[in-house]
């Protein structure tokens, strides 16, 4: 146990960029004590362990868990260093740069909790069928066909998808939307032959349109790049391959959200970018990209024109990449984590988890949980 705690303390401390002196000061111990802990010379008592976990932004379980018990490695799509090690049953992909052992531990807890809730309720896991594809060029029709097949799996035709989050949750895909204040991070996906597929979508200052595209994008990776879900980081010299995979996922996401035949039909009726984006419930950037793919517009010129009009109409305020051209989708219309919350309530109803645990997972007090539980029972359909 000393060795496990020593390794974890060292990893999580360095992940936050703290010196031993800084960690010691914040945890209320001496620097020599931290040094002894990290060198497995002495073992902290339970009170100090709790203090250390709190300062490091992790749980006590994270501090006591051996790396071999499943701290996940992320399969990045950018060259980064990520201070995690050891293989797990999950292969994971993360979008953009992350460098946080704490974040890795947080994602592992999400996966474990979601999977445990599924098992408690008896719901089967799900992951989309895999079919490798590593570049768009020459595979356009194939990717479009796979997008159409996935829409069919969702029970959809060519009509716009009212709520992709809800649609994929209904077939059993584990999706969590959570605020992760990491710049440039939009989402990640993970897959296991046993536990199924999981997608985490970042909501932190990110539009609903971008969140929906992230979900579709990660589903694309789950379908086309399953063999890339390894427990190692990308090696130097493979960035061009990763860019090609990103293009495949983007192309799939675009055609999942906006089927080509329906897009052509709508474009024949209106050339208005705002009306098109409103119809398909996507970002104006998705519409511009599709028109550019069809050689109808020059993407850069059309975007510059839209940005200039926006700036003129909004008293000099620029249309940033993180913003959406009005009218934007309304956050309140896209309830977060409905399937996850359903599993929590069902687990509580079946006696698989305690009220205290359910309250913790739902971020409620026990008192508020009991009120909500009574309301649910009153309005439940027999």
């Amino acid at each position: 146990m000393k060795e496990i705690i020593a390794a974890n303390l060292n990893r999580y401390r360095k992940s936050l960029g703290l010196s031993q002196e800084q960690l010691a000061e914040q945890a209320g111990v001496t620097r020599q004590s931290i040094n002894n802990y990290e060198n497995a010379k002495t073992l902290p008592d339970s009170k100090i362990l709790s203090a250390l976990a709190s300062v490091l932004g992790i749980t006590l379980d994270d501090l006591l868990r051996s790396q071999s018990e499943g701290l996940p490695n992320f399969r990045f799509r950018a060259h980064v260093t990520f201070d995690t090690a050891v293989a797990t049953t999950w292969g994971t992909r993360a979008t953009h740069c992350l460098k946080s052992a704490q974040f890795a531990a947080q994602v592992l807890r999400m996966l474990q909790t979601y999977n445990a809730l599924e098992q408690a309720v008896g719901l089967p896991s799900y992951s989309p069928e895999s079919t490798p594809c590593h570049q768009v060029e020459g595979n356009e029709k194939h990717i479009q066909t796979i997008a159409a097949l996935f829409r069919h799996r969702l029970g959809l035709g060519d009509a716009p998808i009212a709520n992709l989050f809800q649609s994929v949750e209904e077939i059993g895909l584990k999706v969590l939307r959570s605020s992760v204040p990491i710049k440039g991070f939009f989402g990640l996906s993970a897959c296991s032959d046993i536990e199924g597929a999981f997608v985490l979508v970042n909501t932190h200052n990110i539009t609903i349109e971008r969140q929906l595209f992230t979900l579709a994008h990660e589903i694309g990776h789950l379908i086309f790049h399953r063999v890339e879900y390894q427990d190692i980081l990308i090696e130097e010299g493979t960035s061009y391959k990763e860019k090609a995979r990103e293009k495949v996922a983007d192309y799939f996401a675009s055609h999942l959200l906006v089927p080509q035949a329906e897009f052509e039909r709508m474009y024949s009726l209106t050339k208005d970018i705002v009306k098109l984006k409103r119809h398909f419930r996507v970002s104006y950037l998705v519409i511009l990209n599709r028109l550019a793919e069809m050689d109808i517009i020059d993407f850069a010129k059309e975007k510059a024109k839209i940005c200039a009009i926006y700036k003129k109409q909004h008293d000099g305020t620029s249309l940033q990449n993180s913003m959406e051209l009005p009218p934007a989708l309304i956050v309140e219309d896209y309830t977060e984590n409905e399937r996850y919350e359903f599993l929590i309530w069902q687990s509580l109803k079946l006696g698989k988890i305690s009220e205290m645990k359910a309250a913790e997972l739902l971020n409620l007090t026990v008192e508020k949980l009991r009120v909500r539980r009574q309301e649910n029972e009153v309005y439940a359909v027999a």
Side-chain angles (χ1 to χ4, degrees):
M1 182 57 71
K2 285 183 183 179
E3 288 74 17
I4 292 172
I5 292 174
N8 287 336
L9 273 177
N10 184 269
R11 182 173 67 260
Y12 290 124
R13 175 179 63 79
K14 289 182 177 179
S15 179
L16 293 179
L18 294 176
S19 66
Q20 288 187 341
E21 288 84 355
Q22 290 170 321
L23 176 58
E25 181 180 353
Q26 294 182 46
V29 297
T30 65
R31 188 207 65 79
Q32 187 58 49
S33 293
I34 297 297
N35 185 66
N36 288 339
Y37 301 153
E38 290 191 358
N39 285 288
K41 292 181 179 179
T42 57
L43 190 66
D45 61 30
S46 59
K47 184 177 180 180
I48 294 175
L49 278 173
S50 296
L52 289 169
S54 177
V55 172
L56 294 170
I58 55 176
T59 67
L60 192 56
D61 284 344
D62 295 329
L63 203 52
L64 300 176
R65 182 188 295 115
S66 168
Q67 288 184 317
S68 61
E69 292 179 37
L71 189 65
N73 280 320
F74 292 88
R75 177 69 167 93
F76 283 90
R77 293 188 290 275
H79 289 307
V80 295
T81 55
F82 193 69
D83 188 25
T84 57
V86 311
T88 72
T89 57
W90 292 87
T92 311
R93 297 182 60 91
T95 304
H96 296 294
C97 298
L98 306 176
K99 188 181 179 181
S100 171
Q102 281 78 356
F103 181 71
Q106 178 186 352
V107 172
L108 176 61
R109 291 194 298 272
M110 290 178 179
L111 291 172
Q112 291 176 328
T113 299
Y114 209 138
N115 187 54
L117 289 169
E118 276 186 335
Q119 292 179 355
V121 174
L123 287 184
S125 59
Y126 167 81
S127 61
E129 186 176 346
S130 176
T131 174
C133 180
H134 301 292
Q135 65 176 39
V136 172
E137 293 76 14
N139 293 306
E140 291 88 350
K141 290 297 182 183
H142 173 63
I143 299 171
Q144 289 181 34
T145 298
I146 298 301
L149 288 172
F150 192 77
R151 288 178 68 93
H152 178 72
R153 177 69 180 83
L154 297 176
L156 304 170
D158 281 347
I161 303 176
N163 186 333
L164 184 61
F165 300 115
Q166 196 173 70
S167 294
V168 299
E169 286 181 328
E170 285 176 357
I171 64 172
L173 182 67
K174 290 184 275 287
V175 178
L176 280 181
R177 293 161 65 198
S178 181
S179 180
V180 182
I182 298 178
K183 186 177 181 180
F185 171 69
F186 295 106
L188 61 81
S189 54
C191 192
S192 164
D193 292 337
I194 300 172
E195 288 92 353
F198 168 84
V199 177
L200 172 65
V201 177
N202 191 8
T203 64
H204 186 73
N205 297 328
I206 296 174
T207 65
I208 292 294
E209 288 85 350
R210 188 63 179 85
Q211 292 178 42
L212 288 165
F213 191 85
T214 295
L215 175 57
H217 176 96
E218 293 301 332
I219 292 170
H221 281 303
L222 285 164
I223 292 173
F224 297 111
H225 307 135
R226 192 77 58 82
V227 295
E228 304 299 330
Y229 282 61
Q230 304 295 327
D231 300 306
I232 56 173
L233 301 181
I234 295 172
E235 298 175 359
E236 291 296 334
T238 63
S239 61
Y240 72 94
K241 293 181 180 179
E242 202 56 20
K243 289 178 181 177
R245 295 184 191 111
E246 285 296 286
K247 287 179 64 177
V248 169
D250 282 346
Y251 192 86
F252 169 84
S254 175
H255 284 270
L256 174 63
L257 296 169
V258 185
Q260 186 64 25
E262 176 65 5
F263 184 66
E264 291 176 4
R265 185 188 74 82
M266 283 301 300
Y267 189 70
S268 70
L269 299 175
T270 179
K271 306 298 187 287
D272 190 314
I273 301 298
V274 170
K275 289 181 179 179
L276 289 170
K277 81 177 221 62
R278 181 189 296 155
H279 177 76
F280 290 105
R281 299 183 178 91
V282 296
S283 170
Y284 78 99
L285 294 173
V286 171
I287 301 299
L288 293 186
N289 269 303
R290 292 296 288 279
L291 293 174
E293 280 178 16
M294 298 163 66
D295 293 324
I296 293 175
I297 64 165
D298 179 292
F299 178 87
K301 289 181 180 178
E302 195 67 26
K303 183 184 177 185
K305 184 170 71 174
I306 289 173
C307 288
I309 294 172
Y310 180 91
K311 190 172 185 178
K312 185 177 180 180
Q313 293 179 340
H314 293 81
D315 300 321
T317 301
S318 298
L319 179 61
Q320 303 294 331
N321 286 334
S322 59
M323 298 164 60
E324 181 51 49
L325 184 68
L329 294 175
I330 301 171
V331 174
E332 288 74 20
D333 291 341
Y334 294 83
T335 305
E336 291 184 10
N337 308 327
E338 287 185 294
R339 183 174 187 268
Y340 180 70
E341 290 200 5
F342 168 79
L343 290 171
I344 295 171
W345 286 110
Q346 284 298 105
S347 296
L348 178 60
K349 182 178 179 180
L350 295 171
K352 301 295 185 178
I353 58 175
S354 66
E355 283 190 334
M356 186 173 294
K357 184 62 178 179
E360 175 193 334
L361 294 175
L362 291 167
N363 196 27
L364 298 171
T365 64
V366 173
E367 290 73 18
K368 287 185 178 179
L369 174 94
R370 289 172 178 167
V371 172
R372 286 271 301 274
R373 191 176 187 182
Q374 290 176 347
E375 291 173 348
N376 291 343
E377 289 173 354
V378 167
Y379 295 106
V381 177

